[in-house]
Amino acid sequence: MSSRLHGRGALFDAEPAGLVPRLVGVRPHELRAVDPKEYASREELPLLVLSGGRGLGKSAVLREVLSAYQEVTRPGRQLRHTPLALIDCEQEAFTRSRPEQTPEAWSPVSQALLVLAEQLGERVKHAGEVVFPRLMTGLVAVAASGWRDADAERIRRELSRILLLNEGGTGITGLAGRWAGRVVSKVIAATSGQAPFVAAAIEATLESVTEGFAGRRQQKSSTWYRTYPNAGGNAQRGLILLSQHFRAGSPSREHAERRLVRALLADLTEAYAGIGSRLRRLGRPLILLDNAHTGPGPGLMEAVLRDRAEGFADEVAFVAAIRGPDHPVLHGAPRLELTEVARRTDWRPDTSPASRALVVPLPPLSADDTLHIVGAVCETAGTPAGLPRATHRLTGGNPLGIDLLAEAARQHPRRAGSLGLLLVAPLAGERGPGEARPVYGALLEKLVPGDRLEELTVLAAAHDLESAVALADAQLPADFGSAGVRTLQARLAAEGLPSVPGHFAGDPFVRTLLLLRLHHGQDGHGKWREVHETLIEHYSPDGDTDSPDDPGQARHRLHHELSLSDTSGAVAHLRDTFSTLDVRTWLDTLCFLATAPYFHAHDEEGRDLDGQDDRRAATALDRVGTRQPAPEGTDPVLHQRVRRLLHAVWQLSDPLVLPDERVCERMRFELLQLCELHKEGGALLWQAAQDWPEDARAGRPLRTPEDETDDSDGEA
């Protein structure tokens, strides 16, 4: 396993073998079979699906699998340990045809099968290449219907690429080239004749696999399409029907695509069959599908699952990655946690196609994983000891976030004392020389849908659907509106971003990045102010100034006032309700207000102030120049204690700031002092004074403690 791919040992471990080596039958990074005792022999293998949101390392896992079963023999040359292929189903090559291609003769699945076969056919250590005569003839039948009006050069180029799937080894390259040339000539000649064009192309291809230099297995495979429905035992008729079904579109096309997938798997199975096969292989062929929720991914997975459910066996190990927790193709599929597949695979399929899959969600990394990753990257950078802990708190264990923040700390060690400074630092090398951009920008490009980044940046400040709609009406184009908000909300859920009460963008890490982008979006932070002013108005009492202020609305309004660095309302609210609210509600309100985002200091007009000092710490520590006189008629001692406590909790709740020991002690001191001022709720305040400093040091969120001895729990 890669030294930076932590927390995934259940998939990659060699001793004892993890899940992927048990499926492939070969240990990673070595040409050595897995002990049969480590994998209970079954009639079929599960199609392994790794699920999860963006940034959890699904693509990194597939790249690690790829590297685990190939070795570098010399610069630019790699040799596989088993037939191996990896495609990214999200790439444009698999989502749209080239301008010169006919849509009726192309699909994401057919293109994916061509690319997979090309990769699977590469030379394997101690064994020859795999050839794909069944798939080759099927792809020719499909592609031929798009060549009628094409120029000769295009036909030659596309047909030659397909025919080389049956090249059969470097020893007959010249023969294969001449053979491909003859087939191309026959197909081009047919374009000017009166004979059915597709039939002529199919006939020429079938003839090619029965000529003298083709082995008996390839000759036998030329009859494989005899069993196509309604073919009447005639392979050429079967291929013509395949072509017609493909051109007809769904659902007929799906039927044809399923047959092509079966052809690929049959060719791979044939390569391993028979005594004396020249393929002396360990393990199984391996197909990796990244972003399998899109493009050809669903079609490929469904074809394999349906065939396996209907008894069409194959010996191919599949590992797919999907974005989000589920996909319609996988509804009802067995699910196991990563830790449950480390030593054994308790997988039992039933009769449904989906049960032939095994879905394993990739979890976030642990605090220990974060410590090892940051330590490995920043081992000579002199970074603060608290950086790994703070990184884990901010990212929630998101592998992409951990990697990029560790790299930013390595490049900018002087900024490593503040995650906020690291996130706005330019990340060199991420895009190439001269194209460095802020770390938060590089993260957002991969963590949220790029086509909705602007809308998400605005809506990240919202707390629920209603406040999001209010923001959309005031800050987004008129055609977005409520429908756009609901659509985006559903999309985020489908992609695996958690739904959390109280936040439109549920993932705290993503929300922090979006708010940082909102803050830096304009000089003077104009958009930042507009968004929070919109929400302040949304949560303000309706026109009647004598109407009571709803407590929920009040704390949301004060939250956004704090986001604009206006602390007066929050301090007054906490001061005035200290003796009227039960302490649990009061502490909950304090914690909620203190989650307001805070970036570097700026004045009331939004202009940046000189320096990067965090004024919250200075206020909490009661430094010279930070104290403000209490309003007339209020208790000055309570006012100053509440003000210092709010600023301490505000800073220690900030995921962009490493915990400050002095502020932790100040928070503890102020909570203990408040115990003396609230006799009924003193137990909760005392417990908070014990728990909150430790929570802050450990990077845990501050929460109202449970205290069974407190008698104020039931008070309203």
Side-chain angles (χ1 to χ4, degrees), residues 133 209-224:
V209 296
T210 59
E211 293 183 351
F213 70 88
R216 275 185 282 181
R217 287 184 179 177
Q218 289 134 305
Q219 294 176 11
K220 181 180 177 181
S221 68
S222 68
T223 64
W224 189 73

